Every structure is written in structure tokens, then in C-alpha cells.
Amino acid sequence: MTAVMDADPARLEAVSRAFGADPYQEAGSLIGATDVDAVIIASPDETHAALALECIAAGKPVLCEKPLAATPAEARVVVEAEAAADRRLVQVGFMRHFDPQHLAVKGAIERGEIGRPVYFRGWHRNRALAPFPTTREVMISSAIHDLYSARWLLDAEIAEISVMGAPIDPDRSAELELQIISLQMTNGALAVIEVNRDSSSGYEVGVEVVGSDGTVTIAPHHTPPVRRRSAIAQREEPGWLERFAEAYVLEARGWVESMQEGSSGGPTAWDGYATLAAAEAGVTAIAAGPQRVELGERPR
Ligand code: ISE
């Protein structure tokens, strides 16, 4: 890591010193630096699109944390800018794409072990963490991962989204921290996703795909059960950094290797746009009922 920029001077100093990376006060000068070959964007969501566009303009590959942009329209501008550059430059940080447990599910589907996938069931449970999320953040910051997984594992776009929401502890927050999302996919498959931002236990993400000739369910990721004094205990991870620690490393390593090999893997700018468009439609659906997801033409 040759350079780092952070708006927090103390954190910038600490990371710069820990990794021997040149500290930058401003992102544009980091992106333009001659000894910077590629960029990871892990800044606040509303800065993602502009920084990704700067990377594309500089011709530098970029791994951009989700969401790709603050709005689908901004994400579409990134998609078009990459298409105009006529080379794959953008990967979006849907790290479950690199999680071994999710890849095992994807592999079973690709080997035809369940026949034609017809139904995706997802669950995504977080422990309550301050600052507590708004209804919109539950969808855009959390459910966006599950929407990506449904698109990825069913190999189809989301045609229509419906959402029901409820507060979990109204005394703590009136926001809809529990959201049940129903999808109809462009290939006719269906999906139901439960997103819960105040799980009473720990952090858990699960997927199950039902096919025409079988069902595949993600293996549990918890530590092994311990039996003791007539009780069985299993430790759940406290949060996503622990649960997906391996996936984050595999994501970054795969991104670097794709650049070294000139290959292109992982979630694309289009994935970032299409998944965000579905999430935005989901926010609307909470109050307005089922929404069609209109993506427009995908650039060649
Ligand atoms: C967070 O931003 C993430 O990306 C995590 O993967 C997700 O589990 C969490 O709910 C989000 O807030």
C-alpha cells in the first residue's frame, strides 16, 4: 500500500505509519500520484461515485466499497464512464462474492446439482449497533448485499420488489430495522429476504436456493458446537468484519490478481448500479407498495 488518504488526521497518521504509506490530505492528488497504480475506495458512501469517476478518468482500476453511489442515477454515470473508457476498471465491494460458504452454494448451482434455481431465501441479522440505522440505511447499507446475492445466485436481474418493515424495539428506534423483501426476478424466479438490524443473538448471514431438482443451503459459519454440562454452545461472530474477514482478503487478493493477469472478475459497475437501483426501488416500495425495477440498456 503506497498511499492513504483519510479525513481524520489521527487515523491518517496511524495508518500511514503502520503501512509505510504516503499520507495524502486530498483524494484527487492520491489518485493522480505516479506511484499509485490502483485505488480502493472505502470512504463515506456519498463520496464513492465522484472518486470512482476520478479513478476512471485517470485510467486506474478501482475497488469501490458498496454502494457504488448515493443514487442509481449517479451509479449509472459511473457505468457509462467506464463503458466510454472501453476497459473494465471498476469492481464493487460485494465481498460475499468471495466468501467460501457463498462460493460453495454458487458452485453447487453451477454444477446443476439443484436443477433450475427457482427460489432464493436470504437472511441477514446484525446486532444493534449505534448509531442506529434509518429505514433507508437498512435497505441501502445492509439489504443491498442480499439483493446482490439474489441476482448473483439466481443469475437474473430484479424485475419487481416489495417490502414490509417493522421497528424491532420502538422504545429505542421507530425506524423499520426489520425488513422483509420479496423479489420477482426477470427469469421468473422468486426471492424472499429477511434483514434484521437488531438481532438478539449475533451476526448471521444465510442463503438457501431451491431448484427444480434440489435445494442448496449455506453451511453455518459459526465456531464448532461445544457440549458441556447438558448444554450445547456455539459462538456467533459479533459482526461482519469477523464473519467476512476471509472474504475481504480474498476479494482484495482477487482484485490485485485480476489486474496482474489482465483478467476481470468480481462484481462489476453494472452490478453496483443494478443492485442499488433495486435497493432504491425497495425504499420506495416500503411506503408505496410493489415497484418495478427499470434498469435501461446495459452498455456493451
Ligand atoms: C455494513 O455496511 C456492511 O456492509 C455489512 O456487510 C452489513 O452486514 C451491515 O448490515 C452494513 O451496515
Side-chain angles (χ1 to χ4, degrees):
M1 184 161 87
T2 53
V4 61
M5 181 266 165
D6 196 298
D8 177 325
R11 196 162 46 195
L12 174 61
E13 168 62 22
V15 173
S16 167
R17 188 195 308 232
F19 291 90
D22 296 338
Y24 281 77
Q25 306 297 329
E26 189 271 327
S29 46
L30 179 151
I31 292 168
T34 52
D35 62 342
V36 169
D37 302 312
V39 179
I40 294 179
I41 299 173
S43 51
D45 294 359
E46 63 275 9
T47 66
H48 290 181
L51 293 175
L53 287 171
E54 283 196 52
C55 293
I56 293 169
K60 296 191 180 178
V62 52
L63 172 55
C64 181
E65 253 302 341
K66 45 52 78 175
L68 178 58
T71 67
E74 278 185 19
R76 179 87 206 190
V77 171
V78 176
V79 168
E80 303 285 1
E82 183 191 52
D86 200 22
R87 60 184 274 226
R88 171 83 191 271
L89 285 170
V90 178
Q91 180 171 323
V92 179
F94 293 120
M95 77 291 179
R96 296 183 191 177
H97 186 102
F98 300 89
D99 173 53
Q101 275 78 11
H102 281 76
L103 286 167
V105 170
K106 181 68 173 177
I109 294 169
E110 289 179 330
R111 290 188 300 271
E113 293 175 13
I114 65 167
R116 185 174 64 85
V118 292
Y119 171 53
F120 168 96
R121 182 169 71 90
W123 57 102
H124 177 184
R125 298 165 182 155
N126 292 224
R127 287 199 312 191
L129 276 178
F132 303 119
T134 63
T135 298
R136 176 181 175 79
E137 286 165 345
V138 173
M139 182 65 71
I140 302 295
S141 174
S142 302
I144 199 166
H145 284 292
D146 312 281
L147 295 172
Y148 173 77
S149 292
R151 292 178 59 254
W152 176 44
L153 296 177
L154 294 176
D155 195 20
E157 291 298 355
I158 297 167
E160 182 172 297
I161 184 167
S162 306
V163 183
M164 292 190 294
I168 289 180
D169 177 1
D171 296 332
R172 174 178 57 72
S173 168
E175 296 298 316
L176 307 184
E177 292 185 312
L178 173 62
Q179 296 183 12
I180 307 298
I181 301 166
S182 303
L183 306 175
Q184 184 171 43
M185 311 301 286
T186 50
N187 64 359
L190 301 176
V192 174
I193 297 165
E194 169 215 327
V195 180
N196 175 344
R197 281 291 297 264
D198 184 7
S199 160
S200 55
S201 59
Y203 182 84
E204 183 185 13
V205 167
V207 297
E208 181 170 78
V209 180
V210 176
S212 57
D213 189 27
T215 294
V216 58
T217 306
I218 195 168
H221 183 272
H222 312 310
T223 53
V226 174
R227 289 171 169 75
R228 186 165 176 262
R229 298 202 177 91
S230 307
I232 300 176
Q234 259 186 304
R235 182 182 172 279
E236 275 192 320
E237 288 79 11
W240 63 88
L241 293 178
E242 295 84 1
R243 166 62 183 82
F244 291 109
E246 184 180 10
Y248 281 117
V249 172
L250 293 172
E251 175 187 52
R253 184 179 298 149
W255 178 60
V256 170
E257 286 167 357
S258 72
M259 286 185 279
Q260 289 167 336
E261 295 157 7
S263 63
S264 61
T268 64
W270 177 266
D271 288 316
Y273 160 66
T275 310
L276 180 60
E280 191 67 56
V283 173
T284 303
I286 291 170
Q291 298 293 307
R292 301 296 294 174
V293 180
E294 306 297 347
L295 297 177
E297 195 68 29
R298 179 172 186 170
R300 292 275 161 258

